[in-house]
Amino acid sequence: MSTSHDDDLLRAAFRDLHSIRLHGFALLVTLGDRRAAAGAARRALLGGARQVHELRHPERAAAWLRARALHSMTRFSLRRRPRPTEADRLAALRSMGVDGALLRALSTLSLRERAALVASSIERLDPADVQVVLGAGPAATERAMTSARGRYLAARAPTPSEHEDRSGPVSELVLRVAARTLSPTGGPR
């Protein structure tokens, strides 16, 4: 087999390995904006495929791809264009277990805070990989993750008059991880 053919196969395998989770990350961070998420994931995957030999370790590649997608989302969000409705956003996120309450709580966070929360608490990337995603050092990354979790939990806290069900796989996972992380003793493991 030729080197060119081998490289094409490696790039295809790279895209197959990372595309679904990267798109899910992008959908959550863009709050269900299908167009922005697809564009960010596509641009990141194209860049990653060009550097496939340097990104052979799956976890390091995942962090690198998310950093590229976040950078793309930041640039994309500055463009003026029609934004999806809440119904469209929920339709895009429903298969991931996102309901209206979770979407509203995530929307209280900045793009960077959502990326920190999703990468650390939902995808459970290593803290060093979250640093890569955010393009920040350890202290700044820790502050971003703590702020995101705290603000998310505050937004998710039910008021006494609320009677809607706030359960869902994503929200339950984030709440468990945030409670464990924010407890003084680190909580039960």
Side-chain angles (χ1 to χ4, degrees), residues 56-150:
R56 288 175 94 65
H57 190 283
E59 288 180 14
R60 303 300 88 84
W64 187 91
L65 287 166
R66 280 149 184 76
R68 290 290 296 255
L70 179 59
H71 178 74
S72 180
M73 287 178 228
T74 302
R75 291 181 53 217
F76 197 77
S77 71
L78 299 176
R79 297 181 187 159
R80 294 194 183 268
R81 61 177 184 78
R83 301 287 183 199
T85 65
E86 183 174 348
D88 291 337
R89 290 176 185 276
L90 283 170
L93 295 168
R94 191 164 286 116
S95 68
M96 298 170 71
V98 176
D99 61 11
L102 176 60
L103 178 61
R104 286 186 293 281
L106 285 173
S107 70
T108 66
L109 306 177
S110 70
L111 188 70
R112 183 178 169 84
E113 287 173 323
R114 285 193 303 272
L117 184 71
V118 171
S120 65
S121 297
I122 295 173
E123 295 192 299
R124 297 180 184 223
L125 294 184
D126 185 85
D129 292 327
V130 179
Q131 290 173 32
V132 171
V133 173
L134 298 180
T141 299
E142 184 59 37
R143 281 191 303 275
M145 290 187 309
T146 301
S147 171
R149 288 178 188 130

Side-chain angles (χ1 to χ4, degrees), residues 11 14 45-56 64 68:
R11 284 184 189 94
F14 180 84
L45 283 167
L46 286 172
R50 286 190 294 270
Q51 296 188 32
V52 71
H53 291 288
E54 292 82 25
L55 298 172
R56 288 175 94 65
W64 187 91
R68 290 290 296 255

Side-chain angles (χ1 to χ4, degrees), residues 154-166:
R156 287 287 290 169
T159 61
S161 63
E162 289 181 310
H163 297 290
E164 68 181 88
D165 179 19
R166 293 187 172 263

Side-chain angles (χ1 to χ4, degrees), residues 2-38:
S2 70
T3 303
S4 175
H5 182 69
D6 290 345
D7 286 347
D8 289 344
L9 289 175
L10 186 59
R11 284 184 189 94
F14 180 84
R15 284 188 299 272
D16 289 347
L17 178 64
H18 293 286
S19 63
I20 293 173
R21 287 192 62 197
L22 178 63
H23 188 253
F25 168 85
L27 268 175
L28 283 169
V29 174
T30 62
L31 301 172
D33 186 330
R34 286 184 171 127
R35 184 174 166 199

